[in-house]
Amino acid sequence: LGKLVFFYDDNGISIDGDVEGWFTDDTQARFEAYGWQVIKVDGHDTDEITKATEQAIAETTKPSLIICKTTIGAGSPNKQGLAASHGAPLGDDEIVLTRDALAWTHAPFELDDEIYEAWDAKAKGDVQQKNWDADFEAYKKAYPELASELLRRLNGELPADFESQAQAYIQQTQEQGGDVASRKASQNAINTLQPLLPELLGGSADLAGSNLTLFKGAKGIEKDSDGNYIYYGVREFGMTAIANGIALHGGFIPYVATFLMFMEYARNAVRMGALMKQRVIHVYTHDSIGLGEDGPTHQPVEQLTSLRTTPNLRTWRPCDATESASAWVEAIKSENNPSALIFSRQSLPHQARDSEQVANIAKGGYVLAKEQGELQAIIIATGSEVGLAMQAHETLSANGVGVRVVSMPCAEIFVEQDASYREAVLPANIRARVAVEAAHVDYWYKFVGLDGKVIGMTTYGESAPADELYKEFGITTEAVVDAVNSLV
């Protein structure tokens, strides 16, 4: 952190006006308490700023904060020191007065040659780049394999054999079967994929034991930076912002974790990662009322909709170990999209699939159970509710209803598929559609239409065992069967 130098413009003004009287922080003392080097300067004195910057760069054991005391809008006769110069143009008349006060005679966007040359670092940068290139060429000759690996990671490329080994693992999970909580299936995936991808850098906001994000060989990064896991503490926003920075730096694929409900604390950083198109993997466990007695403060309802409607973010909610493995692989492969992987606390039943169905998981949505006879209705489900949908399929099929089950672990990827595939999964002429998910119902009307029905949540949860809560809120096999029967 000794490389971090932060300049703080302390001008005493906010958008609302003078901060005196309500901003009582002692910024210097606060950052010194954090262990920073703090330097105070006159923000209008270039010599002081230069000396402070050199002092900050010389301090290599801790970050530095340079507090620059300034007057906002300095030089403007009528607006300097006022909030009026904070977020609005000075205005044509005030610009003329300011130019006179500063003796600035150059045209707009024109710099004096002396000033330009003082800030021009092209020649210096060119020398530094050539020196670095020469050093790296020497490194490549001495350590060709390490140099190649470094370039691969910095370029964000996956190992040449990653795809084949990852697909083999997905197929293995399908063949092994077995009921498992998807958070545990996630941990199994990390344990398998991390040795293939040493740049995978994990972390959790003080919930590693619950999120199950630790893997065999995980080593915490402390004063010794030779590690591969970060214990972030209870700081969901800071954790997610740091992950964005790691992704921007390059060379690592960061994943971070907390409860789905606590995503709210990280929301702005999640959005920024999506806006910047960074490959960050967000692991969110305890995904619904299925977490049970912790109650409505911990039971997410609207969070899935919030994530799914975030542009450029891909949200996965897998229903078993195979979909969990596929979600991890697709998130790792997603170079320009962050991903949110949503996992359950409770055990989920394994689903039977053929090889085509396993491959189609990567398309975001696929037919998990085909109709018997003529297609009359479609059930769409995700995560823990896929099991309910499959039970309803069995009951309805036994009663002669031609119903199929569509598992849609990632709706955002499904809608990116070509029209022919989407039509094959969700034929437009089948209007009898029921979606079931233990989350807010509104998101699913885009798939079921006004003629369809959605079984899910419209209120906050309650504190009770999971099976009782599912009954209380009407998220049951019987409810799915009744909904389908009402539409056919």
Side-chain angles (χ1 to χ4, degrees), residues 183-194:
R183 62 171 175 159
K184 180 60 179 177
S186 168
Q187 186 179 47
N188 293 341
I190 298 171
N191 272 320
T192 300
L193 298 172
Q194 196 279 332

Side-chain angles (χ1 to χ4, degrees), residues 206-227:
D206 198 40
L207 286 171
S210 295
N211 300 144
L212 301 185
T213 46
L214 287 169
F215 52 89
K216 296 174 184 175
K219 180 182 178 182
I221 297 175
E222 299 175 2
K223 291 184 178 179
D224 178 4
S225 60
D226 182 21

Side-chain angles (χ1 to χ4, degrees), residues 133-294:
D133 289 342
D135 289 343
F136 190 70
E137 281 300 316
Y139 178 74
K140 284 170 63 177
K141 290 179 180 179
Y143 309 99
E145 292 183 1
L146 290 176
S148 177
E149 177 68 3
L150 176 61
L151 287 176
R152 179 190 71 75
R153 297 189 196 185
L154 290 176
N155 291 333
E157 300 168 354
L158 299 179
D161 60 349
F162 177 80
E163 178 68 13
S164 61
Q165 293 197 55
Q167 294 305 320
Y169 172 65
I170 294 171
Q171 187 59 43
Q172 178 186 331
T173 63
Q174 182 61 38
E175 294 170 358
Q176 287 179 340
D179 299 351
V180 64
S182 58
R183 62 171 175 159
K184 180 60 179 177
S186 168
Q187 186 179 47
N188 293 341
I190 298 171
N191 272 320
T192 300
L193 298 172
Q194 196 279 332
L196 308 178
L197 204 66
E199 63 264 38
L200 200 59
L201 180 63
S204 174
D206 198 40
L207 286 171
S210 295
N211 300 144
L212 301 185
T213 46
L214 287 169
F215 52 89
K216 296 174 184 175
K219 180 182 178 182
I221 297 175
E222 299 175 2
K223 291 184 178 179
D224 178 4
S225 60
D226 182 21
N228 50 21
Y229 193 89
I230 300 175
Y231 292 94
Y232 285 99
V234 186
R235 47 174 68 89
E236 292 84 359
F237 173 77
M239 170 183 71
T240 308
I242 290 169
N244 288 342
I246 291 170
L248 284 163
H249 176 277
F252 296 96
I253 300 176
Y255 70 86
V256 292
T258 186
F259 290 164
L260 177 55
M261 186 65 247
F262 299 161
M263 176 279 296
E264 296 289 355
Y265 299 127
R267 187 70 184 86
N268 187 53
V270 174
R271 185 179 187 272
M272 285 302 299
L275 189 154
M276 296 185 292
K277 301 181 179 181
Q278 294 304 301
R279 178 164 45 186
V280 177
I281 301 172
H282 307 282
V283 176
Y284 297 133
T285 68
H286 297 60
D287 68 342
S288 71
I289 57 171
L291 66 88
E293 289 86 348
D294 280 346

Side-chain angles (χ1 to χ4, degrees), residues 99-116:
R99 281 175 165 275
D100 290 341
L102 296 175
W104 185 262
T105 59
H106 300 287
F109 303 106
E110 180 182 303
L111 285 176
D112 180 88
D113 290 342
E114 182 179 356
I115 295 174
Y116 184 89

